Amino acid sequence: MTIRTGFDGPRICFLGDSFVQGLGDPEFRGWVGRVLQAAAPGATAFNLGVRRDSSAQVLRRCWPEVGARVLPGADNRLVVSVGANDAMEEAGVPRVAHHDTLANLAALLDGARKRGLGALVVGPPPVVCGGAAHLDRLRALVPAMAGLCADAGVPFVDVTGALAGDPVWTAEARAGDGAHPGAGGYGRLAELVLAGGFRAWAGPGPGPDGFGPERT
Amino acid sequence: MTIRTGFDGPRICFLGDSFVQGLGDPEFRGWVGRVLQAAAPGATAFNLGVRRDSSAQVLRRCWPEVGARVLPGADNRLVVSVGANDAMEEAGVPRVAHHDTLANLAALLDGARKRGLGALVVGPPPVVCGGAAHLDRLRALVPAMAGLCADAGVPFVDVTGALAGDPVWTAEARAGDGAHPGAGGYGRLAELVLAGGFRAWAGPGPGPDGFGPERT
């Protein structure tokens, strides 16, 4: 009475906000389900996206939740996407300031490195109803996140600008709640993530630019 | 710069094991994504299935994880499916004994009631490679779980026997790792959950047999 070997690809936790969660996708799988289907069919995947979460909130719940999903000796990995909620204003100021978003992301990547988890970062998708100031804040975060990831040896996928100019993403977001697209927009985001490095990173062993379990 | 109202249906946490997670589904959404698409398009859904988790492990991580996903004042709900891993043998005995599985499920439902979360329980899917003794243990759990749920006023969906005799479920499991089906088997499980009460339960307000936020 044993379960035969199978689905022994990487175990990947996806951490982030409502975009990671796939909110608004009528198929209930978002870009996460789509990149897995395309590039990691043998993966064991955990979607830990939580609507409205800032990078500070993600950091707070990250290790207890990831810890319950990591298997010692397995190819455990982490995909992080934060920032869109950080840049939203509350009482006239961003919920999380630029440098704090970067510090939280650095802490997430440092924790992943210490635990031997290969990591990949996806930049913040734009919030169509967020206005010009919100998009400017995201555009300022992107190169800073890219630099931080380069220093950490972690692949970074920039999606912000491409989606802000994408007719499918923007039309679906406008037709929905002003922020979240439908199946087409999540499909477009999935294409960016796949082309931006996920496909190579999710292959067997450590990704070309990521750190893998053998470096723990 | 505000996000317009939208996707303001129930917030549903799905707690359980690899079947809840949808392991083996090439579309990476499992029965959970399928029942949501069919019956709760406006829901905010959180898949907290973890491969190999017993009811004891689910109980241990339940409230910290659900707590990070509940929104005060919202229509917060919980779907639980445990038991298949409990009934697997380790060192010649089930990982979790029959009465302990029931005690853990009772504790989960009691916690949901105290927190004002409407709940629904899905019985354990069969493990095709688990053998006759494993299936017998699940068949013994089903009426006991149903009784426990009836006492708690929570809908219970029996799927065990129907899936054990389902040609799609069993063929896909055998073609996979011996336990987990593919898209067809998860589709079949989704149909059982929809027909067994999820469709009515997931509608606006508390389900017909469930308890809702107004009873907190």
Side-chain angles (χ1 to χ4, degrees):
Chain A
M1 202 179 85
T2 52
I3 293 185
R4 295 198 302 273
T5 304
F7 312 118
D8 51 359
R11 295 169 72 96
I12 314 177
C13 289
F14 293 81
L15 267 173
D17 51 25
S18 58
F19 291 117
V20 170
Q21 202 179 344
L23 192 71
D25 177 18
E27 299 178 19
F28 284 88
R29 56 198 192 119
W31 66 266
V32 167
R34 286 170 174 82
V35 300
L36 289 164
Q37 176 166 23
T44 297
F46 306 92
N47 192 319
L48 299 172
V50 173
R51 193 174 175 175
R52 216 180 171 276
D53 259 18
S54 69
S55 62
Q57 291 169 300
V58 167
L59 179 59
R60 204 142 53 220
R61 66 185 167 80
C62 174
W63 302 122
E65 294 188 357
V66 172
R69 287 155 177 83
V70 158
L71 188 68
D75 181 6
N76 300 296
R77 299 180 183 221
L78 192 68
V79 173
V80 179
S81 183
V82 292
N85 287 321
D86 294 29
M88 295 296 284
E89 281 183 26
E90 255 177 12
V93 294
R95 286 181 57 201
V96 179
H98 177 92
H99 62 276
D100 290 328
T101 299
L102 296 174
N104 291 334
L105 180 59
L108 286 165
L109 295 183
D110 193 50
R113 186 187 54 76
K114 285 181 181 154
R115 290 166 177 83
L117 306 180
L120 179 143
V121 174
V122 174
V127 176
V128 170
C129 66
H134 183 267
L135 185 57
D136 285 346
R137 281 193 282 274
L138 295 194
R139 286 193 198 277
L141 276 174
V142 166
M145 284 184 171
L148 190 159
C149 289
D151 290 346
V154 168
F156 174 78
V157 185
D158 176 15
V159 302
T160 311
L163 292 178
D166 186 86
V168 174
W169 179 276
T170 51
E172 286 188 348
R174 286 206 181 92
D177 66 353
H180 302 96
Y186 280 115
R188 184 70 191 110
L189 173 45
E191 287 168 16
L192 292 170
V193 173
L194 285 165
F198 183 85
R199 198 180 285 278
W201 177 84
D209 302 303
F211 41 82
E214 82 290 359
R215 285 178 52 181
T216 55
Chain B
M1 203 180 80
T2 53
I3 293 186
R4 295 197 301 273
T5 305
F7 311 118
D8 51 359
R11 295 169 72 96
I12 314 177
C13 288
F14 292 81
L15 266 173
D17 51 25
S18 58
F19 291 117
V20 170
Q21 202 178 343
L23 192 70
D25 177 17
E27 299 177 20
F28 283 89
R29 57 198 192 118
W31 67 266
V32 168
R34 286 171 174 81
V35 300
L36 290 163
Q37 176 166 22
T44 298
F46 306 92
N47 192 319
L48 298 172
V50 173
R51 193 174 176 176
R52 216 181 172 276
D53 259 18
S54 69
S55 62
Q57 291 169 300
V58 167
L59 179 59
R60 205 142 52 219
R61 66 186 167 82
C62 174
W63 302 122
E65 294 188 357
V66 172
R69 288 154 177 83
V70 158
L71 189 69
D75 181 6
N76 300 296
R77 298 181 183 221
L78 192 68
V79 173
V80 179
S81 183
V82 292
N85 287 321
D86 294 29
M88 295 296 283
E89 282 183 25
E90 254 176 12
V93 294
R95 286 181 57 201
V96 179
H98 177 92
H99 62 276
D100 290 328
T101 300
L102 296 174
N104 291 334
L105 180 60
L108 286 165
L109 295 183
D110 193 52
R113 186 187 53 76
K114 285 181 181 154
R115 290 167 176 82
L117 306 180
L120 179 144
V121 174
V122 174
V127 176
V128 171
C129 65
H134 184 267
L135 185 57
D136 285 347
R137 282 193 282 274
L138 295 194
R139 285 192 198 277
L141 276 174
V142 166
M145 284 184 170
L148 190 158
C149 288
D151 290 346
V154 168
F156 173 78
V157 185
D158 175 16
V159 303
T160 311
L163 292 177
D166 186 86
V168 174
W169 178 275
T170 51
E172 285 189 348
R174 285 207 181 92
D177 66 353
H180 302 96
Y186 280 114
R188 183 71 190 108
L189 174 44
E191 287 167 17
L192 293 169
V193 173
L194 285 165
F198 183 86
R199 199 180 284 278
W201 176 84
D209 302 304
F211 41 82
E214 81 290 0
R215 285 177 51 180
T216 54

